[in-house]
Amino acid sequence: MIDVVLADDHPVVRAGLRAVVDGQPDMRVVHETGTAEDLLAWLDGGGRADVVLLDLRFGDAGPGSTRLGGAEATGTVVHRHATPVLVVTTYGTDADILAAVEAGATGYLLKDAPTEELARAIRSAAAGEVILGADVQRRLLGRMRSPGENLSARELEVLRLVAAGRSNDAIARELFVSVATVKSHLAHISTKLGTQSRTEAAATARERGML
Amino acid sequence: MIDVVLADDHPVVRAGLRAVVDGQPDMRVVHETGTAEDLLAWLDGGGRADVVLLDLRFGDAGPGSTRLGGAEATGTVVHRHATPVLVVTTYGTDADILAAVEAGATGYLLKDAPTEELARAIRSAAAGEVILGADVQRRLLGRMRSPGENLSARELEVLRLVAAGRSNDAIARELFVSVATVKSHLAHISTKLGTQSRTEAAATARERGML
DNA sequence: CGCCGCATCGTCCGAAAGGTGGAAAGGGCG
DNA sequence: CGCCCTTTCCACCTTTCGGACGATGCGGCG
């Protein structure tokens, strides 16, 4: 019997995951929670599980929230409790997936995966295997080819303003530097991202979840 | 007894909605589907329902897909079958909500709404009342102030490509028109959106969920 | 029928952005 | 101590954009 913990802040999705798990003869839900804190408290309090199903977008509500994110929760669960974490989320940007995998997630699935694939993934995770959905793997491979993300803090700052639609001049005034500096940063950014223009750089940044 | 139809392309979410509905003594699921076409076919074939729970992001997969979107499906269901549609979706941009409401949706909820609120919304929808979540109402009010979105189909097409980082020249070749036309469209777009540059227009478009 | 919105194209010109090739100052590291 | 990276800045030049006109044809609407 595989003991599963559900960690998702959407009640509906939680109910759906429960329905899938309960529909399998060889697994059951032993705990269900809507916050990362609660999940960790339960595990710290002696809770035992074979697999944790976790929404990566845990606590995504506000920018000022001090709540734990899905990636941090994943890392803590994996390292402190040696429990496999299967990340199940709705939309997956490249950065999301990478963050989950780097945090030690055992698997990554999108919520539109068929229930049968989900059940298989849970069994694999419980057995310690690393499972990534076919589309996820494709994304990761495409992602690896492009070196990306060696951007310095300053460059990222500039890139963010570019993606917000500011002109070089506006960015220069906002960062208290000259236009030449902004252009210089932008040139470096485009080199690192392999883009041809500011707009393309902004689009790429968004696509990779770097904003 | 309230007869409910589930229309969502995420199996997990569908299972969750079913669990919520089945947990209520006064309602039941009479049909469940993952595509808008199937939903319409079922209704056209004589299927009767008191409420349709529908994911707005129906068939959001590819740009080249000929599948029906959630908004179109909503409009068809409401007008052809006089059945209340309760839109339940994960992330709701202003444009999404507006599209749903304009298409005639009876209600709009986010998936992170508590199950009890969802059940209440279903009863309200079945009774013909229009129910919008508190946060949704707040968004709508803020949305009304900005004029926006009188963009023509062609202009939107151009805007999408701009947001994807294409140059005017690339867009012109992609749409089989001259660069002058692209610039003309772009000028109109910036006038309508009140933006000063292509990048700002792209940023605004994203913010308003027009992509 | 005229008017308006839409889509298409054109020219001209100035402004913005991008590319090239520097340079200088500071920090970190072997 | 040199070496590299980051950040800052400069000048020069080319490409691209954006604004300001105008012009055509089409379709809907009163």
Side-chain angles (χ1 to χ4, degrees):
Chain A
M1 182 64 73
I2 302 173
D3 288 345
V4 180
V5 171
L6 305 182
D8 195 309
D9 46 358
H10 300 91
V12 171
V13 175
R14 226 156 54 214
L17 293 172
R18 173 179 279 278
V20 171
V21 171
D22 286 347
Q24 309 299 318
D26 57 339
M27 52 185 79
R28 62 175 175 183
V29 176
V30 293
H31 188 63
E32 191 175 313
T33 173
T35 71
E37 285 79 2
D38 187 73
L39 168 66
L40 293 175
W42 186 80
L43 288 170
D44 287 340
R48 280 279 307 118
D50 295 310
V51 182
V52 173
L53 290 193
L54 186 140
D55 185 352
L56 192 68
R57 298 242 181 225
F58 241 6
D60 218 21
S65 80
T66 53
R67 291 156 67 189
L68 279 169
E72 291 93 322
T74 301
T76 310
V77 170
V78 169
H79 297 125
R80 201 152 83 200
H81 302 282
T83 303
V85 171
L86 189 59
V87 172
V88 182
T89 201
T90 308
Y91 302 108
T93 66
D94 297 349
D96 285 345
I97 300 171
L98 213 61
V101 171
E102 277 170 359
T106 306
Y108 193 104
L109 283 187
L110 293 181
K111 278 176 189 163
D112 54 5
T115 59
E116 173 240 328
E117 183 177 337
L118 176 59
R120 247 189 303 117
I122 293 176
R123 288 192 196 92
S124 299
E129 301 165 18
V130 171
I131 292 289
L132 295 178
D135 48 346
V136 169
Q137 288 182 40
R138 216 178 313 112
R139 271 158 176 267
L140 267 190
L141 288 180
R143 181 75 189 53
M144 289 310 178
R145 281 177 321 193
S146 49
E149 257 145 300
N150 307 325
L151 295 192
S152 71
R154 197 56 158 175
E155 287 164 351
L156 202 60
E157 205 168 351
V158 171
L159 183 54
R160 256 187 267 267
L161 290 170
V162 168
R166 308 279 207 291
S167 70
N168 285 348
D169 189 67
I171 296 172
R173 274 183 277 109
E174 201 148 333
L175 299 181
F176 302 108
V177 297
S178 85
V179 182
T181 305
V182 175
K183 287 171 71 173
S184 170
H185 285 314
L186 213 32
H188 291 149
I189 291 168
S190 267
T191 302
K192 290 181 179 176
L193 295 183
T195 53
Q196 298 297 321
S197 73
R198 59 174 33 239
T199 338
E200 198 185 339
T204 304
R206 249 171 292 116
E207 204 171 285
R208 298 198 188 165
M210 316 170 52
L211 32 161
Chain B
M1 182 64 73
I2 303 173
D3 287 345
V4 179
V5 171
L6 306 182
D8 195 310
D9 46 358
H10 300 92
V12 170
V13 175
R14 227 156 54 213
L17 293 172
R18 172 179 280 277
V20 172
V21 171
D22 285 345
Q24 309 298 318
D26 58 339
M27 52 185 81
R28 62 177 174 182
V29 176
V30 293
H31 188 62
E32 191 175 314
T33 174
T35 70
E37 284 79 3
D38 187 71
L39 167 66
L40 293 175
W42 186 80
L43 287 170
D44 286 340
R48 279 279 306 119
D50 295 309
V51 182
V52 172
L53 292 193
L54 185 140
D55 185 353
L56 193 67
R57 299 243 181 225
F58 242 6
D60 219 20
S65 81
T66 53
R67 291 156 67 189
L68 278 168
E72 291 93 323
T74 301
T76 310
V77 171
V78 169
H79 296 125
R80 202 152 81 200
H81 302 284
T83 302
V85 171
L86 191 57
V87 171
V88 182
T89 200
T90 309
Y91 302 107
T93 66
D94 299 348
D96 285 345
I97 301 171
L98 213 61
V101 172
E102 277 171 359
T106 305
Y108 193 104
L109 284 186
L110 293 182
K111 279 176 189 165
D112 54 4
T115 59
E116 174 240 331
E117 184 177 335
L118 176 60
R120 246 189 304 117
I122 293 176
R123 288 193 195 92
S124 299
E129 300 166 20
V130 171
I131 292 289
L132 295 178
D135 48 344
V136 170
Q137 288 181 40
R138 216 179 314 111
R139 273 158 176 266
L140 265 192
L141 289 178
R143 182 71 191 57
M144 289 309 179
R145 283 174 322 193
S146 52
E149 259 144 301
N150 308 326
L151 295 192
S152 70
R154 197 57 159 174
E155 286 164 352
L156 201 60
E157 205 169 351
V158 171
L159 183 54
R160 256 187 266 269
L161 291 169
V162 168
R166 307 280 208 290
S167 71
N168 285 348
D169 189 65
I171 296 172
R173 272 182 278 108
E174 201 147 333
L175 297 182
F176 303 106
V177 297
S178 85
V179 181
T181 306
V182 175
K183 287 173 68 172
S184 172
H185 286 312
L186 213 32
H188 292 149
I189 291 169
S190 268
T191 303
K192 291 181 179 176
L193 295 183
T195 53
Q196 298 296 322
S197 72
R198 59 174 33 242
T199 336
E200 197 184 338
T204 304
R206 244 170 293 116
E207 206 170 283
R208 300 198 187 165
M210 317 170 49
L211 33 160

